[in-house]
Amino acid sequence: MSDFNQALVTPNIWASLRRHTPARIGLGRSGVSLPTQALLEFQSAHAQARDAVKLPLDIQQLQQDLAEQGVPSLRLHSQAKDRSLYLQRPDLGRRLDADSAAKLKRLATLPGLQHNRRQVVVVIADGLSSTAVQQQAVPMLLAIQSALQALSITISSVCVVEQARVALGDEVGELLASQAVILLVGERPGLSSPDSLGIYYTYAPRVGLTDAARNCISNIRPGGQSVEEAATRLIWLVKESFTRKLSGVALKDQSGGSDALEVAQGRSFLLE
Amino acid sequence: MGYQTSLGGTGYRFNDLKTLMAKATPLRSGDCLAGVAATDARERVAAQMTLAAVPLKRFLQEALIPYEEDEVTRLILDRHDAEAFAPVAHLTVGDFRDWLLSEQATSASLRNLASGLTPEMVAAVSKIMRIQDLIRVAQKIEVVSAFRNTLGLKGRLSTRLQPNHPKDDPAGVAASLLDGLLYANGDAVIGINPATDNYHAVTRLMCLLDEVIQRYEIPTQSCVLTHVTTHLEAINRGMPVDLVFQSIAGTQAANASFGVSLSVLQEAQQAALALGRGTVGNNVMYFETGQGSALSANAHHGLDQQTCEARAYGVARHFSPLLVNSVVGFIGPEYLYDGKQIIRAGLEDHFCGKLLGLPMGCDICYTNHAEADQDDMDMLLTQLAVAGINFIMGIPGSDDIMLNYQTTSFHDALYVRKVLNKAPAPEFATWLQKMGIMDDQHNLLTGHTLPSALAHLQAKL
């Protein structure tokens, strides 16, 4: 990008604080408005985010990546047959298509599955960012898998679902009679974060549940929450929910009992 | 009974009032998704003509969601003030539009009328109003609320400083917070959306914001936008809670999907009031709403999304909030498809909320999967400011790095204050001058250097 005449712009001496945050701080101003450079950078980021929404998940690659880690997966599809319909009809993205539902019903009749009372199903949904899923679903799943072992909870199946929304996990969990569903989903891409993964956790999943029955851990990406942090939070939720037999609003995330005041005073330069 | 009319030789019949309301609603994707929208443009205008002839009194007789089934309906009808309603009780919806635009509707008469109106009456008249009508009438209304400063006065425009950080990192939050203050933002509230609902992470942020406000003696209030029950828990454990936040919707079932009820909201309001942390006022609640929320929880009872939204304001006004924020473009294109739909919805929400007596703000925003861009936001921002909106969002460079959407920036607030000659809330404006951030003509002074009151931060840069 070309350099613009900086004499026309009022810079911000505090722009160096950008080392603390990816936020667009200290942009300077032209009068009170955005300088040309910052304006064009914004437009460029918006164009990239718009394109990320439309990029399809490479599902064969994802399944291959999972297989290489010794994780077999089942490929499913929602009732939204393409991206355009997915964006306009959230109801279709929340339900499995007929073939997928039939596949799961067959799977549920296999011996062994219904007898294990300490098992969960993992659903990997493309959501609004295939990039997030492509890059982070596998390491996230592996972290969850090893953490669950400590609780003697097994993952009964891993389903990869195209054109899927969060509530679709309820149907998968119900058809497989799972104790709980852990759904990994590509979150809506932001200007600075086209790669953010979210986790939704539901105990006793069944069709028709609302968000009040789910716990959410969001912003899992290299510049946000790490896979390890997210796994720690999730495992706390799973453990509590198996004891209390519920999830969602009634199950508050209280993992990590550090004292709030001490941490806040210690780390903000505004208060030193 | 049904509602009917004929238009151009075609007869139209609408089975009930909620169907008529839905069919009369200007086109938006959420109503199409719900299957309640008019089938074509002619049916829509036929419905608008029919709705215009409905007496306002009819809304007191025909509940859109049955009284027995829904506590929001019960709240609206039980609390209706017949005496306040009297000046317009004889009017139809169409007459009411004329009345609102007439000289009879003044700042004072509209203030007195608010408790006599139901959300459904207000939604109905908005459906037959153009953008300029929504602006003209809203501009007459002044809704003032107060906690540590006074918000909503004529000639003022406030912002929520939103220093979100994807990891809730205290230094990251502080960097955006300082940026915002140096751009004269943050008089409505300094409000963070936490990255998690983790109790300790949330209360850490509460303490951070409280200490910054106390240390720099900023006449503003803080809020961490977590669930109302988390606020209650924090209050019970002695954490510094200024405002209690909650997302609300216009039906009991939609609120249940958020994990709230009127009684929980009541409990939280009482708990926050008991803390007595306000200095110039006692409005302790901060609500967020948005068209489409009831439908997305499958809890809309066949109502159109704009009517559901107005009913959410019926909930909000019961709790005398400091701030009500319509998060208009956040929900996505399934409900508001493009810039045109977002702009109209934002102005409808502001109009309906103000007419019901609420201190309305708007998160003028869009997501990256919607057909909208910065030009659309500039239009809505300018129009809402002309309409007299109480507050907007302010974030660094319009980019929310935690919630992944675009809203108005610190710069946007300065732009709109400049072009419309608006000032920050009076107590906050005085503080900005004292700190050397703005002069007495509300010109920004910061940029090349830190103001002397903040010179000690030089070493931290």
mmCIF file with all atom_site columns, all heavy atoms in Angstrom, chain B residues 139-152:
data_model
loop_
_atom_site.group_PDB
_atom_site.id
_atom_site.type_symbol
_atom_site.label_atom_id
_atom_site.label_alt_id
_atom_site.label_comp_id
_atom_site.label_asym_id
_atom_site.label_entity_id
_atom_site.label_seq_id
_atom_site.pdbx_PDB_ins_code
_atom_site.Cartn_x
_atom_site.Cartn_y
_atom_site.Cartn_z
_atom_site.occupancy
_atom_site.B_iso_or_equiv
_atom_site.pdbx_formal_charge
_atom_site.auth_seq_id
_atom_site.auth_comp_id
_atom_site.auth_asym_id
_atom_site.auth_atom_id
_atom_site.pdbx_PDB_model_num
ATOM 1   N N   . GLN B 1 139 ? -37.667 12.415 17.161 1.00 0.00 ? 139 GLN B N   1
ATOM 2   C CA  . GLN B 1 139 ? -36.893 13.621 17.492 1.00 0.00 ? 139 GLN B CA  1
ATOM 3   C C   . GLN B 1 139 ? -37.615 14.514 18.503 1.00 0.00 ? 139 GLN B C   1
ATOM 4   O O   . GLN B 1 139 ? -36.988 15.276 19.225 1.00 0.00 ? 139 GLN B O   1
ATOM 5   C CB  . GLN B 1 139 ? -36.616 14.398 16.200 1.00 0.00 ? 139 GLN B CB  1
ATOM 6   C CG  . GLN B 1 139 ? -35.507 15.415 16.338 1.00 0.00 ? 139 GLN B CG  1
ATOM 7   C CD  . GLN B 1 139 ? -35.477 16.363 15.155 1.00 0.00 ? 139 GLN B CD  1
ATOM 8   O OE1 . GLN B 1 139 ? -36.524 16.770 14.637 1.00 0.00 ? 139 GLN B OE1 1
ATOM 9   N NE2 . GLN B 1 139 ? -34.280 16.702 14.718 1.00 0.00 ? 139 GLN B NE2 1
ATOM 10  N N   . LYS B 1 140 ? -38.933 14.394 18.568 1.00 0.00 ? 140 LYS B N   1
ATOM 11  C CA  . LYS B 1 140 ? -39.703 15.202 19.525 1.00 0.00 ? 140 LYS B CA  1
ATOM 12  C C   . LYS B 1 140 ? -39.550 14.692 20.957 1.00 0.00 ? 140 LYS B C   1
ATOM 13  O O   . LYS B 1 140 ? -39.872 15.394 21.907 1.00 0.00 ? 140 LYS B O   1
ATOM 14  C CB  . LYS B 1 140 ? -41.195 15.149 19.187 1.00 0.00 ? 140 LYS B CB  1
ATOM 15  C CG  . LYS B 1 140 ? -41.590 15.699 17.833 1.00 0.00 ? 140 LYS B CG  1
ATOM 16  C CD  . LYS B 1 140 ? -43.122 15.624 17.722 1.00 0.00 ? 140 LYS B CD  1
ATOM 17  C CE  . LYS B 1 140 ? -43.588 16.026 16.342 1.00 0.00 ? 140 LYS B CE  1
ATOM 18  N NZ  . LYS B 1 140 ? -45.068 16.140 16.286 1.00 0.00 ? 140 LYS B NZ  1
ATOM 19  N N   . ILE B 1 141 ? -39.138 13.426 21.075 1.00 0.00 ? 141 ILE B N   1
ATOM 20  C CA  . ILE B 1 141 ? -39.192 12.778 22.393 1.00 0.00 ? 141 ILE B CA  1
ATOM 21  C C   . ILE B 1 141 ? -37.849 12.888 23.096 1.00 0.00 ? 141 ILE B C   1
ATOM 22  O O   . ILE B 1 141 ? -36.805 12.621 22.495 1.00 0.00 ? 141 ILE B O   1
ATOM 23  C CB  . ILE B 1 141 ? -39.567 11.284 22.246 1.00 0.00 ? 141 ILE B CB  1
ATOM 24  C CG1 . ILE B 1 141 ? -40.862 11.147 21.450 1.00 0.00 ? 141 ILE B CG1 1
ATOM 25  C CG2 . ILE B 1 141 ? -39.697 10.624 23.616 1.00 0.00 ? 141 ILE B CG2 1
ATOM 26  C CD1 . ILE B 1 141 ? -41.187 9.727  21.028 1.00 0.00 ? 141 ILE B CD1 1
ATOM 27  N N   . GLU B 1 142 ? -37.890 13.258 24.371 1.00 0.00 ? 142 GLU B N   1
ATOM 28  C CA  . GLU B 1 142 ? -36.670 13.269 25.171 1.00 0.00 ? 142 GLU B CA  1
ATOM 29  C C   . GLU B 1 142 ? -36.848 12.270 26.314 1.00 0.00 ? 142 GLU B C   1
ATOM 30  O O   . GLU B 1 142 ? -37.772 12.404 27.112 1.00 0.00 ? 142 GLU B O   1
ATOM 31  C CB  . GLU B 1 142 ? -36.417 14.667 25.728 1.00 0.00 ? 142 GLU B CB  1
ATOM 32  C CG  . GLU B 1 142 ? -35.097 14.782 26.483 1.00 0.00 ? 142 GLU B CG  1
ATOM 33  C CD  . GLU B 1 142 ? -34.885 16.177 27.092 1.00 0.00 ? 142 GLU B CD  1
ATOM 34  O OE1 . GLU B 1 142 ? -35.800 16.662 27.792 1.00 0.00 ? 142 GLU B OE1 1
ATOM 35  O OE2 . GLU B 1 142 ? -33.827 16.756 26.860 1.00 0.00 ? 142 GLU B OE2 1
ATOM 36  N N   . VAL B 1 143 ? -35.984 11.254 26.351 1.00 0.00 ? 143 VAL B N   1
ATOM 37  C CA  . VAL B 1 143 ? -36.023 10.297 27.458 1.00 0.00 ? 143 VAL B CA  1
ATOM 38  C C   . VAL B 1 143 ? -34.691 10.398 28.201 1.00 0.00 ? 143 VAL B C   1
ATOM 39  O O   . VAL B 1 143 ? -33.638 10.084 27.639 1.00 0.00 ? 143 VAL B O   1
ATOM 40  C CB  . VAL B 1 143 ? -36.248 8.857  26.976 1.00 0.00 ? 143 VAL B CB  1
ATOM 41  C CG1 . VAL B 1 143 ? -36.282 7.910  28.172 1.00 0.00 ? 143 VAL B CG1 1
ATOM 42  C CG2 . VAL B 1 143 ? -37.530 8.739  26.167 1.00 0.00 ? 143 VAL B CG2 1
ATOM 43  N N   . VAL B 1 144 ? -34.742 10.839 29.438 1.00 0.00 ? 144 VAL B N   1
ATOM 44  C CA  . VAL B 1 144 ? -33.532 11.064 30.219 1.00 0.00 ? 144 VAL B CA  1
ATOM 45  C C   . VAL B 1 144 ? -33.402 9.963  31.271 1.00 0.00 ? 144 VAL B C   1
ATOM 46  O O   . VAL B 1 144 ? -34.376 9.607  31.928 1.00 0.00 ? 144 VAL B O   1
ATOM 47  C CB  . VAL B 1 144 ? -33.583 12.452 30.899 1.00 0.00 ? 144 VAL B CB  1
ATOM 48  C CG1 . VAL B 1 144 ? -32.358 12.665 31.789 1.00 0.00 ? 144 VAL B CG1 1
ATOM 49  C CG2 . VAL B 1 144 ? -33.665 13.542 29.836 1.00 0.00 ? 144 VAL B CG2 1
ATOM 50  N N   . SER B 1 145 ? -32.198 9.411  31.400 1.00 0.00 ? 145 SER B N   1
ATOM 51  C CA  . SER B 1 145 ? -31.926 8.438  32.457 1.00 0.00 ? 145 SER B CA  1
ATOM 52  C C   . SER B 1 145 ? -30.603 8.823  33.114 1.00 0.00 ? 145 SER B C   1
ATOM 53  O O   . SER B 1 145 ? -29.817 9.581  32.539 1.00 0.00 ? 145 SER B O   1
ATOM 54  C CB  . SER B 1 145 ? -31.875 7.012  31.883 1.00 0.00 ? 145 SER B CB  1
ATOM 55  O OG  . SER B 1 145 ? -30.855 6.899  30.907 1.00 0.00 ? 145 SER B OG  1
ATOM 56  N N   . ALA B 1 146 ? -30.366 8.290  34.309 1.00 0.00 ? 146 ALA B N   1
ATOM 57  C CA  . ALA B 1 146 ? -29.172 8.732  35.040 1.00 0.00 ? 146 ALA B CA  1
ATOM 58  C C   . ALA B 1 146 ? -28.659 7.669  36.000 1.00 0.00 ? 146 ALA B C   1
ATOM 59  O O   . ALA B 1 146 ? -29.441 6.907  36.587 1.00 0.00 ? 146 ALA B O   1
ATOM 60  C CB  . ALA B 1 146 ? -29.480 10.012 35.816 1.00 0.00 ? 146 ALA B CB  1
ATOM 61  N N   . PHE B 1 147 ? -27.354 7.634  36.161 1.00 0.00 ? 147 PHE B N   1
ATOM 62  C CA  . PHE B 1 147 ? -26.699 6.798  37.179 1.00 0.00 ? 147 PHE B CA  1
ATOM 63  C C   . PHE B 1 147 ? -25.550 7.625  37.774 1.00 0.00 ? 147 PHE B C   1
ATOM 64  O O   . PHE B 1 147 ? -25.718 8.264  38.796 1.00 0.00 ? 147 PHE B O   1
ATOM 65  C CB  . PHE B 1 147 ? -26.215 5.477  36.556 1.00 0.00 ? 147 PHE B CB  1
ATOM 66  C CG  . PHE B 1 147 ? -25.718 4.494  37.580 1.00 0.00 ? 147 PHE B CG  1
ATOM 67  C CD1 . PHE B 1 147 ? -26.601 3.775  38.369 1.00 0.00 ? 147 PHE B CD1 1
ATOM 68  C CD2 . PHE B 1 147 ? -24.360 4.282  37.777 1.00 0.00 ? 147 PHE B CD2 1
ATOM 69  C CE1 . PHE B 1 147 ? -26.145 2.871  39.337 1.00 0.00 ? 147 PHE B CE1 1
ATOM 70  C CE2 . PHE B 1 147 ? -23.891 3.386  38.733 1.00 0.00 ? 147 PHE B CE2 1
ATOM 71  C CZ  . PHE B 1 147 ? -24.786 2.678  39.512 1.00 0.00 ? 147 PHE B CZ  1
ATOM 72  N N   . ARG B 1 148 ? -24.380 7.681  37.105 1.00 0.00 ? 148 ARG B N   1
ATOM 73  C CA  . ARG B 1 148 ? -23.329 8.613  37.534 1.00 0.00 ? 148 ARG B CA  1
ATOM 74  C C   . ARG B 1 148 ? -23.222 9.807  36.608 1.00 0.00 ? 148 ARG B C   1
ATOM 75  O O   . ARG B 1 148 ? -22.373 10.674 36.788 1.00 0.00 ? 148 ARG B O   1
ATOM 76  C CB  . ARG B 1 148 ? -21.966 7.918  37.624 1.00 0.00 ? 148 ARG B CB  1
ATOM 77  C CG  . ARG B 1 148 ? -21.841 7.092  38.871 1.00 0.00 ? 148 ARG B CG  1
ATOM 78  C CD  . ARG B 1 148 ? -20.407 6.705  39.193 1.00 0.00 ? 148 ARG B CD  1
ATOM 79  N NE  . ARG B 1 148 ? -20.448 5.564  40.079 1.00 0.00 ? 148 ARG B NE  1
ATOM 80  C CZ  . ARG B 1 148 ? -20.216 4.321  39.677 1.00 0.00 ? 148 ARG B CZ  1
ATOM 81  N NH1 . ARG B 1 148 ? -19.842 4.065  38.452 1.00 0.00 ? 148 ARG B NH1 1
ATOM 82  N NH2 . ARG B 1 148 ? -20.326 3.329  40.536 1.00 0.00 ? 148 ARG B NH2 1
ATOM 83  N N   . ASN B 1 149 ? -24.059 9.807  35.550 1.00 0.00 ? 149 ASN B N   1
ATOM 84  C CA  . ASN B 1 149 ? -24.174 10.981 34.694 1.00 0.00 ? 149 ASN B CA  1
ATOM 85  C C   . ASN B 1 149 ? -25.580 10.981 34.107 1.00 0.00 ? 149 ASN B C   1
ATOM 86  O O   . ASN B 1 149 ? -26.370 10.077 34.379 1.00 0.00 ? 149 ASN B O   1
ATOM 87  C CB  . ASN B 1 149 ? -23.071 11.000 33.620 1.00 0.00 ? 149 ASN B CB  1
ATOM 88  C CG  . ASN B 1 149 ? -23.080 9.743  32.759 1.00 0.00 ? 149 ASN B CG  1
ATOM 89  O OD1 . ASN B 1 149 ? -24.080 9.028  32.690 1.00 0.00 ? 149 ASN B OD1 1
ATOM 90  N ND2 . ASN B 1 149 ? -21.961 9.474  32.114 1.00 0.00 ? 149 ASN B ND2 1
ATOM 91  N N   . THR B 1 150 ? -25.875 12.020 33.342 1.00 0.00 ? 150 THR B N   1
ATOM 92  C CA  . THR B 1 150 ? -27.235 12.209 32.840 1.00 0.00 ? 150 THR B CA  1
ATOM 93  C C   . THR B 1 150 ? -27.235 11.970 31.335 1.00 0.00 ? 150 THR B C   1
ATOM 94  O O   . THR B 1 150 ? -26.545 12.665 30.590 1.00 0.00 ? 150 THR B O   1
ATOM 95  C CB  . THR B 1 150 ? -27.714 13.640 33.148 1.00 0.00 ? 150 THR B CB  1
ATOM 96  O OG1 . THR B 1 150 ? -27.405 13.927 34.514 1.00 0.00 ? 150 THR B OG1 1
ATOM 97  C CG2 . THR B 1 150 ? -29.195 13.781 32.919 1.00 0.00 ? 150 THR B CG2 1
ATOM 98  N N   . LEU B 1 151 ? -28.022 10.986 30.907 1.00 0.00 ? 151 LEU B N   1
ATOM 99  C CA  . LEU B 1 151 ? -28.015 10.573 29.506 1.00 0.00 ? 151 LEU B CA  1
ATOM 100 C C   . LEU B 1 151 ? -29.332 10.917 28.830 1.00 0.00 ? 151 LEU B C   1
ATOM 101 O O   . LEU B 1 151 ? -30.384 10.891 29.459 1.00 0.00 ? 151 LEU B O   1
ATOM 102 C CB  . LEU B 1 151 ? -27.774 9.061  29.419 1.00 0.00 ? 151 LEU B CB  1
ATOM 103 C CG  . LEU B 1 151 ? -26.472 8.562  30.062 1.00 0.00 ? 151 LEU B CG  1
ATOM 104 C CD1 . LEU B 1 151 ? -26.460 7.030  30.149 1.00 0.00 ? 151 LEU B CD1 1
ATOM 105 C CD2 . LEU B 1 151 ? -25.266 9.052  29.266 1.00 0.00 ? 151 LEU B CD2 1
ATOM 106 N N   . GLY B 1 152 ? -29.260 11.240 27.534 1.00 0.00 ? 152 GLY B N   1
ATOM 107 C CA  . GLY B 1 152 ? -30.471 11.419 26.740 1.00 0.00 ? 152 GLY B CA  1
ATOM 108 C C   . GLY B 1 152 ? -30.968 12.844 26.626 1.00 0.00 ? 152 GLY B C   1
ATOM 109 O O   . GLY B 1 152 ? -32.018 13.081 26.028 1.00 0.00 ? 152 GLY B O   1
#
